[in-house]
Amino acid sequence: RYLGFVLLVLSSSTTTALADTDTYISLNVGASIVDDAHHEWLLPTGSETVTTNFDFGHTISAALGVSFSDGYRLEVEVSNQINDLVGADPAAVRMSTPLFGVGGIIKKTQSLSGKYEGVDVTVTTLLANAYKDFYIVDKFFGYVSGGVGVAFHEWDARSYVVVLEGRIPTHYNFGRFDDTVLAWQLGAGLGYELIKEINLNVGYRYLGTDDVNYHPAYIPEFGSHNATVGIRY
């Protein structure tokens, strides 16, 4: 549905200035840094904000687009990035007195931070992007971009290890969760015209999505800083 809409936009745009357009394909690879995620953890005594953090990841994207003579470009892009969950604070809450029913009394709670091994977070996006290229000097040019679309999030925790403060590592199988939400991105970068048909580029883009509903107890926010290098033909 989304891809059909984007292709309709691209085809209608090309009819306005068909003689002054070129089609292109592009490929980008790079590193991704996911912002710390926050969500509310509901406890019998109230709520506590849990902060999770992620390791450096990698990203790859491919796009099919149309470039116009005035420096504007429109494209459809598919991308994928993977990051590892490395820690959470708190990762667990220990209560000295169990809560038995409504009348139970909790005398003391202790929040424990923890490290994770084996939890993968994968984000696959389908975006419609718009670019504006502007030449700086000779064959060097800059660009700015923006895009909207959808993101498919996948949280794979089927085999992982948690190390809590002062405790031995514990293996878990929490399962696999996914959700599809609205996504958007903004970017900027520099390019070089290697030959008339081939451009090289380096760039930065920020990818954001709606909050992800992995589980009723875990609905985090998501934002990612991606640095890429690529080629456009």
Side-chain angles (χ1 to χ4, degrees):
R1 182 167 74 246
Y2 297 103
L3 181 58
F5 172 75
V6 171
L7 291 177
L8 178 62
V9 173
L10 291 178
S11 63
S12 63
S13 300
T14 57
T15 58
T16 61
L18 186 59
D20 296 324
T21 63
D22 285 309
T23 56
Y24 67 85
I25 57 175
S26 66
L27 178 67
N28 293 278
V29 297
S32 61
I33 303 174
V34 175
D35 290 334
D36 290 348
H38 308 281
H39 77 283
E40 293 300 314
W41 190 355
L42 298 180
L43 301 171
T45 54
S47 64
E48 185 168 7
T49 299
V50 177
T51 301
T52 54
N53 48 77
F54 302 83
D55 202 354
F56 284 94
H58 61 271
T59 179
I60 183 171
S61 66
L64 173 64
V66 177
S67 61
F68 301 88
S69 58
D70 55 3
Y72 287 96
R73 292 187 279 128
L74 296 174
E75 69 177 29
V76 177
E77 179 196 58
V78 177
S79 69
N80 178 267
Q81 70 178 68
I82 301 176
N83 294 82
D84 295 331
L85 177 69
V86 296
D89 188 17
V93 176
R94 183 172 60 192
M95 293 176 282
S96 60
T97 302
L99 180 65
F100 298 104
V102 178
I105 299 176
I106 299 177
K107 296 181 179 179
K108 181 182 179 182
T109 62
Q110 182 181 5
S111 299
L112 304 175
S113 62
K115 296 182 180 295
Y116 288 76
E117 295 179 3
V119 180
D120 296 325
V121 179
T122 304
V123 181
T124 303
T125 61
L126 173 62
L127 300 174
N129 298 321
Y131 286 79
K132 172 58 177 176
D133 296 332
F134 51 91
Y135 276 89
I136 301 172
V137 59
D138 196 15
K139 295 185 177 183
F140 289 92
F141 63 91
Y143 69 83
V144 292
S145 66
V148 294
V150 293
F152 176 75
H153 290 258
E154 182 181 30
W155 180 282
D156 190 349
R158 287 174 290 186
S159 177
Y160 69 102
V161 177
V162 178
V163 183
L164 295 177
E165 297 176 60
R167 298 189 177 187
I168 61 173
T170 305
H171 288 79
Y172 291 93
N173 181 356
F174 195 54
R176 173 189 167 278
F177 304 94
D178 59 70
D179 192 21
T180 301
V181 295
L182 180 68
W184 57 272
Q185 71 175 5
L186 295 173
L190 297 173
Y192 177 74
E193 188 179 284
L194 187 63
I195 58 175
K196 183 178 179 181
E197 295 84 5
I198 297 178
N199 292 325
L200 306 178
N201 65 82
V202 295
Y204 162 83
R205 61 179 62 182
Y206 180 82
L207 173 66
T209 76
D210 281 351
D211 292 350
V212 188
N213 190 352
Y214 286 126
H215 185 274
Y218 188 56
I219 306 178
E221 55 195 17
F222 178 86
S224 177
H225 304 268
N226 297 341
T228 62
V229 295
I231 184 171
R232 174 159 51 99
Y233 172 74

